[in-house]
Amino acid sequence: MTSTTDSLAVSAEPNKPDVGFVACIEGGVLETQALLLFESIRQYAGRFRDCDIYALSPRTGHAISGSARYRLDKLRVTYIDAILNTECRGYGSANRVAAAAYVEEVYHHEILVILDSDTLFLREPGKILLPPDVDVAVRPVDVKGMCTDGPADPFDGYWRDLCRCCGVDYEEIPWTESFVDHHRIKASYNGGLVIVRGKLGILQQWADFFFASVRQRLTPYAEEWRLRSGVSWIDSAASRLWGSNQAALSLAIWSNTRRVQELPPIYNYPLHQHNQIDPGTVHAVFPHLVHVHYHWLFEEKLASNPLFDSAGPLSLQQHDWLRSATADGHFGSAK
């Protein structure tokens, strides 16, 4: 991969916002994704470009390369190689939960931004600076999936069991709408971008709730099924847990605060579902994306990636940067 690391400014902004970015990094595709994310923050996040970044490897057996360690240092990223996820090692999303809780407890910031590694910033994310009457900013899930639309829903029993496990009143979880398929659902939020006030303990509550549900063997799905994540295809026991960390996040949020803001779709835009999004919404938001969740699309031919469309959100510089970064096969090939 051609790196722009050495061209990045090394001087920190003296009055930078008190914001910490948090993402996981592990050997393989996730390593490549995370480094690209961190470069995007340093280059394109505007007034947030010099804010603290934390990269965590929360489970054993997934060491990053020496070259990745070097680039993390050049990008001024704090690397944390601590074993935090010992209870749910097969479910990759559990790493994000454990990492977020750890950073919230150990590193004190006014605002923490929890990110999936397969995401990028293309413009300054001004919504990170939460207004005084907001404690959390999130995006609703893309599709209904394992969410519930009420008592008759096949997943409703899981949500009620999760609420009992966590001591949360099911009726206190509000209704929202999934972004792509427009289902009315009990609030569930995409874990690819979560913005919280660091002093509230929401992220530690998230970990407490999620790992408590794992210990009680609560799973949304009774059987294993095959799905594609941003890193790989999944058809193992982890598939039974899919979506459970986001459900636990919703419970953690609503048991701590009612001051929740849903971000506009220029944040955490689900690029892999671009063709399923309402055309009017695409026309209004796609050229102006701030933060994009690309999932596996850099494993595909760039000609099939809507991010590179002439009417898309990339500047000429970003075109060149991403073409160079994805040209040498470090993202692997689609399975």
Side-chain angles (χ1 to χ4, degrees):
M1 176 185 292
T2 300
S3 173
T4 59
T5 302
D6 293 337
S7 67
L8 299 174
V10 296
S11 59
E13 186 72 31
N15 296 313
K16 66 183 179 182
D18 186 10
V19 170
F21 294 94
V22 183
C24 292
I25 185 169
E26 294 183 334
V29 173
L30 197 70
E31 177 179 297
T32 306
Q33 292 175 338
L35 290 169
L36 197 66
L37 167 61
F38 303 148
E39 283 191 8
S40 78
I41 294 171
R42 293 295 183 229
Q43 292 191 78
Y44 300 116
R47 78 192 106 160
F48 306 98
R49 70 191 303 269
D50 289 313
C51 289
D52 292 333
I53 302 175
Y54 303 95
L56 294 91
S57 301
R59 59 182 173 177
T60 58
H62 297 270
I64 65 173
S65 65
S67 61
R69 289 293 301 268
Y70 173 80
R71 291 185 60 206
L72 289 175
D73 288 341
K74 297 293 287 185
L75 287 161
R76 294 173 282 117
V77 174
T78 300
Y79 178 57
I80 301 166
D81 184 14
I83 307 306
L84 306 173
N85 174 18
T86 59
E87 297 185 76
C88 195
R89 296 181 64 250
Y91 177 41
S93 295
N95 290 339
R96 178 182 58 215
V97 182
Y102 178 85
V103 173
E104 183 186 61
E105 181 179 14
V106 176
Y107 298 91
H108 299 152
H109 289 279
E110 180 182 354
I111 294 171
L112 288 169
V113 182
I114 313 306
L115 297 159
D116 269 358
S117 302
D118 57 341
T119 68
L120 293 172
F121 286 95
L122 302 178
R123 292 171 175 79
E124 180 179 279
K127 293 288 187 182
I128 285 176
L129 292 182
L130 300 175
D133 61 342
V134 173
D135 291 329
V136 179
V138 282
R139 285 289 299 149
V141 292
D142 303 327
V143 297
K144 178 189 174 296
M146 51 70 67
C147 299
T148 178
D149 62 12
D153 191 281
F155 293 103
D156 196 62
Y158 167 79
W159 279 79
R160 292 181 184 272
D161 288 343
L162 182 65
C163 285
R164 281 191 289 270
C165 169
C166 301
V168 175
D169 185 350
Y170 171 93
E171 302 299 335
E172 292 297 311
I173 307 301
W175 297 98
T176 189
E177 182 179 271
S178 53
F179 173 55
V180 177
D181 58 2
H182 302 292
H183 277 272
R184 180 178 182 264
I185 55 171
K186 281 285 187 178
S188 186
Y189 305 110
N190 191 290
L193 174 64
V194 179
I195 305 169
V196 302
R197 293 198 184 278
K199 65 181 181 181
L200 299 180
I202 290 172
L203 303 178
Q204 293 169 76
Q205 186 87 80
W206 181 16
D208 289 345
F209 284 176
F210 171 72
F211 287 107
S213 74
V214 169
R215 291 181 209 112
Q216 292 199 16
R217 303 183 183 278
L218 299 181
T219 62
Y221 297 92
E223 305 292 338
E224 295 178 10
W225 58 296
R226 184 170 170 81
L227 69 144
R228 192 174 188 180
S229 75
V231 177
S232 65
W233 285 97
I234 296 172
D235 53 11
S236 63
S239 66
R240 297 180 60 207
L241 285 162
W242 207 253
S244 59
N245 81 93
Q246 296 179 155
L249 172 63
S250 180
L251 270 58
I253 290 171
W254 288 100
S255 62
N256 279 278
T257 184
R258 297 292 184 269
R259 296 158 29 119
V260 179
Q261 177 186 77
E262 290 198 357
L263 293 162
I266 55 174
Y267 288 82
N268 207 11
Y269 184 86
L271 193 66
H272 65 310
Q273 293 179 322
H274 179 74
N275 293 331
Q276 283 74 54
I277 298 171
D278 173 77
T281 299
V282 171
H283 178 77
V285 308
F286 192 58
H288 312 291
L289 296 187
V290 170
H291 175 256
V292 60
H293 202 154
Y294 60 83
H295 294 264
W296 57 81
L297 288 185
F298 285 153
E299 298 179 23
E300 311 286 355
K301 294 180 180 179
L302 295 188
S304 64
N305 188 329
L307 200 61
F308 292 89
D309 290 350
S310 59
L314 300 182
S315 68
L316 289 177
Q317 181 189 41
Q318 289 169 336
H319 259 278
D320 293 343
W321 168 57
L322 289 175
R323 284 185 181 277
S324 175
T326 59
D328 54 9
H330 281 279
F331 279 86
S333 58
K335 297 181 181 179

